[in-house]
């Protein structure tokens, strides 16, 4: 079995594609703003979303790890990754999560090559876990807080109906693999998640 380090953003995304996320903390009465100094990121979480606690995140990660290892024979190592936030909407699977993982190109290799391998693994795991589904994927740069990220999106259609859309935004940023990912199952959840993306702020830097 191969060993590879993956961000929990990938792991959680895969887990939520197959099972509902665990219970979350109480929903806030209003939108709430969070700031993460490691990457200079500020975001506002819509009040319709509930933040998943550390126990819930760990359960999601474990389910995702099992799916990856079963589908690809790859051992997942998330020991160096920190989940900044995971939040989900209602009782369904719509959610988003953000993580940072230290990344050193001199040790870990080319960042773009590594992320292409991640995309291939996401696609293959969805194919293996969702038999009979039509899965379409696309990659294109996307802006977050005015900064370009490597964007990856995948839509899943079953019996002629789109059932979910998965997204991954990732960038080598301030010495980290900075990833934001999730999925949505309806237009309302999509609009809320996209609003979170558009209102995020990132401090510029000069590495």
């Amino acid at each position: 079995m191969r060993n590879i380090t993956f961000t929990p953003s990938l792991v959680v995304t895969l887990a939520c594609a197959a099972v509902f996320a665990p219970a979350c903390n109480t929903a806030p009465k209003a939108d709430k703003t969070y700031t993460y100094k490691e990457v200079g990121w500020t975001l506002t979480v819509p009040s319709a979303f509930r933040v998943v606690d550390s126990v819930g995140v760990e359960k999601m990660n474990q389910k995702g790890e099992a799916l990856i290892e079963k589908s690809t024979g790859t051992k997942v190592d998330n020991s160096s990754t920190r989940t900044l936030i995971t939040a989900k909407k209602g009782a369904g699977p719509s959610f988003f999560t953000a993580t940072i993982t230290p990344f050193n190109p001199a040790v870990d290799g080319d960042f773009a090559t590594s992320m292409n391998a991640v995309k291939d693994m996401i696609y293959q795991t969805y194919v293996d876990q969702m038999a009979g589904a039509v899965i379409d994927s696309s990659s294109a740069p996307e802006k977050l807080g005015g900064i370009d990220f490597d964007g990856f999106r995948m839509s899943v259609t079953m019996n002629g109906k789109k059932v979910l859309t998965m997204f991954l935004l990732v960038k080598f940023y301030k010495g980290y693999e900075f990833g934001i990912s999730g999925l949505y199952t309806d237009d309302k959840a999509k609009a809320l998640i996209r609003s979170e993306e558009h209102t995020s702020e990132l401090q510029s830097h000069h590495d």
Side-chain angles (χ1 to χ4, degrees):
M1 180 178 286
R2 294 179 296 157
N3 290 280
I4 193 166
T5 300
F6 280 108
T7 172
S9 60
L10 165 61
V11 175
V12 173
T13 299
L14 294 172
C16 286
V19 296
F20 286 152
C24 305
N25 293 338
T26 302
K29 296 180 180 180
D31 296 353
K32 187 172 181 179
T33 299
Y34 298 83
T35 298
Y36 301 97
K37 295 181 180 179
E38 297 92 338
V39 285
W41 183 44
T42 299
L43 80 157
T44 299
V45 177
S47 60
F49 280 77
R50 299 183 178 188
V51 175
V52 181
D53 62 25
S54 59
V55 174
V57 170
E58 180 60 25
K59 289 180 179 179
M60 295 168 75
N61 287 350
Q62 290 175 354
K63 292 174 181 177
E65 289 170 8
L67 290 179
I68 293 173
E69 292 177 8
K70 180 179 179 180
S71 294
T72 67
T74 297
K75 182 69 176 178
V76 177
D77 176 12
N78 290 317
S79 59
S80 63
T81 300
R82 177 189 167 196
T83 299
L84 300 179
I85 189 169
T86 298
K88 66 182 295 287
K89 176 180 175 289
S94 296
F95 83 103
F96 68 87
T97 188
T99 62
I100 53 174
T101 304
F103 193 94
N104 182 352
V107 176
D108 300 315
D110 179 69
F111 185 77
T113 300
S114 176
M115 290 305 101
N116 285 337
V118 167
K119 294 174 186 178
D120 290 343
M121 192 161 292
I122 293 174
Y123 182 85
Q124 188 58 51
T125 304
Y126 268 64
V127 169
D128 291 344
Q129 296 299 320
M130 306 189 79
V134 177
I135 301 175
D136 296 314
S137 64
S138 62
S139 294
E142 298 192 35
K143 285 190 179 296
L144 179 70
I147 296 175
D148 285 331
F149 277 64
D150 182 8
F152 178 65
R153 294 186 182 267
M154 227 168 39
S155 62
V156 179
T157 302
M158 300 189 75
N159 300 320
K161 181 181 179 181
K162 184 182 291 187
V163 294
L164 65 88
T165 299
M166 187 283 304
F167 68 91
L168 171 65
L169 305 178
V170 67
K171 184 177 182 63
F172 178 47
Y173 194 70
K174 295 190 175 183
Y176 293 102
E177 173 198 314
F178 178 28
I180 302 168
S181 68
L183 62 82
Y184 46 84
T185 57
D186 56 72
D187 289 341
K188 186 174 182 179
K190 174 183 177 181
L192 286 169
I193 290 175
R194 295 296 284 180
S195 71
E196 173 269 322
E197 292 179 26
H198 292 314
T199 57
S200 293
E201 296 180 2
L202 276 167
Q203 296 174 358
S204 60
H205 71 300
H206 302 282
D207 288 343

